[in-house]
Amino acid sequence: LEPGLPIEDYVRAFLEPFGADLGQAVLWEDVAGVKIPISELYFRERSGAWKGGKRGRDVFTPLLAEALLDPDEIWMGVVAKPDPVDSRYEELFIDRRYIRLDPDTGLIVVMQIGRRWWDEVTAYPTTDKKGRPSFQLLDRRRGGKLIWKRK
């Protein structure tokens, strides 16, 4: 999408392919047969404020939906997140990482979902020093158990 749009436009671009909208969540089944909720909460802080705009990645929100709808890989693993009450401690969560990549541009899109949290805006172009696609960062997102892969 174009940069500089209102955050609601970016969020709707993510929600619409699932039949969801602002204030209207849906339960959606992925290609591996797991049902996950799809809602605007992916884009809200615990306080309710919008999150987004980090490093200009909000323009990739439609690609986040594409990563869930048509992933190249789905990984399940364990991730440590800071305890929301006391940041000196971490909690371990099982997460799912939906990975989609564009071999022509080097764009990697990852949608990471856990039981009580999610990281939605993990989309970034990866290129080497000569501007060619490079997928070295992709291996950092792989971990745990590969539970689904595109044939």
Side-chain angles (χ1 to χ4, degrees):
L1 296 175
E2 297 175 25
L5 297 175
I7 186 69
E8 292 86 356
D9 290 351
Y10 296 116
V11 173
R12 278 194 176 101
F14 171 81
L15 296 172
E16 285 176 2
F18 300 98
D21 200 352
L22 298 176
Q24 184 180 8
V26 298
L27 192 59
W28 172 79
E29 187 173 318
D30 71 14
V31 295
V34 172
K35 292 185 179 182
I36 59 172
I38 302 293
S39 80
E40 69 187 74
L41 293 179
Y42 286 141
F43 301 91
R44 292 206 182 262
E45 301 284 351
R46 289 178 188 249
S47 68
W50 289 112
K51 62 179 176 177
K54 195 162 87 175
R55 295 186 287 276
R57 293 182 186 163
D58 44 4
V59 299
F60 296 123
T61 53
L63 299 178
L64 296 170
E66 188 176 327
L68 289 176
L69 291 163
D70 191 22
D72 290 320
E73 300 174 356
I74 302 174
W75 290 82
M76 181 175 282
V78 176
V79 66
K81 291 283 186 181
D83 184 296
V85 178
D86 189 341
S87 62
R88 295 177 299 166
Y89 302 102
E90 292 183 330
E91 292 184 74
L92 296 177
F93 294 100
I94 294 175
D95 75 340
R96 295 173 67 82
R97 287 173 306 275
Y98 295 81
I99 298 174
R100 178 145 174 117
L101 59 98
D102 182 337
D104 296 325
T105 65
L107 181 70
I108 297 172
V109 179
V110 180
M111 182 73 174
Q112 189 171 2
I113 300 172
R115 183 172 154 253
R116 294 189 308 183
W117 58 272
W118 35 78
D119 287 331
E120 81 298 16
V121 181
T122 308
Y124 44 88
T126 59
T127 55
D128 63 16
K129 292 179 182 179
K130 295 183 180 181
R132 298 174 299 205
S134 171
F135 299 106
Q136 291 177 341
L137 291 176
L138 178 59
D139 285 335
R140 290 186 189 170
R141 295 297 178 169
R142 290 176 166 138
K145 172 112 174 103
L146 178 65
I147 58 172
W148 189 89
K149 185 173 182 162
R150 179 186 307 281
K151 290 182 181 176

